[in-house]
Amino acid sequence: MSTPLSARLDEATVAVRAVTVPRLGLSLFGAVTAGLILPWSQAAGWLAVSLALEAWLWIATRSQARGGLVRHRARANFAASFGAISLWWLVLGVMFWNSDTLAGRTCAAILVMSLLAVTMLLFYSTPIMFLATGAVPTVFALMVLGRADAQSWLQ
């Protein structure tokens, strides 16, 4: 029997709230990386919106963190804020890809595949998923790098 969506969202909410500080560090690291590939104004703008979205997520996870009664509205607020942050990271990936540099495209591949991997692990974490999601970003980065050097996929 599968776990209901509401229970999975409550578990995900607690897990996401517990890693707020590392997520803020990742946002800062993402912005610094973006500043090396993109204009600094774009990197700073991305960071400002990212921090605002993280604040929204912190507020959205408040009721689950207190352990009180959780309403459907709180779960929907968490899902919307988590979705918005995920989409904002995808925007950074698109910005990297559109920089039309090898470093930008490699960062885009790693970022997008890592985002998908973390999202999958949030809701379905088994040992094989840990193995697969750990390997996929690296494989995609190597594919981008290999393709840039005009080598075949077998090299």
Side-chain angles (χ1 to χ4, degrees), residues 37-119:
I37 298 170
L38 305 168
W40 275 102
S41 59
Q42 289 181 4
W46 182 87
L47 179 61
V49 174
S50 179
L51 294 177
L53 290 172
E54 290 290 347
W56 175 25
L57 183 65
W58 179 260
I59 293 167
T61 59
R62 188 174 37 202
S63 61
Q64 286 94 331
R66 290 181 184 158
L69 180 64
V70 180
R71 301 188 188 284
H72 292 296
R73 186 173 160 189
R75 290 183 185 106
N77 192 18
F78 163 71
S81 62
F82 186 77
I85 289 173
S86 297
L87 289 174
W88 193 242
W89 278 97
L90 284 176
V91 166
L92 183 61
V94 169
M95 291 166 55
F96 280 151
W97 191 266
N98 288 335
S99 71
D100 205 27
T101 63
L102 181 58
R105 290 190 174 185
T106 305
C107 285
I110 293 169
L111 185 130
V112 170
M113 297 316 302
S114 296
L115 180 64
L116 292 173
V118 167
T119 303

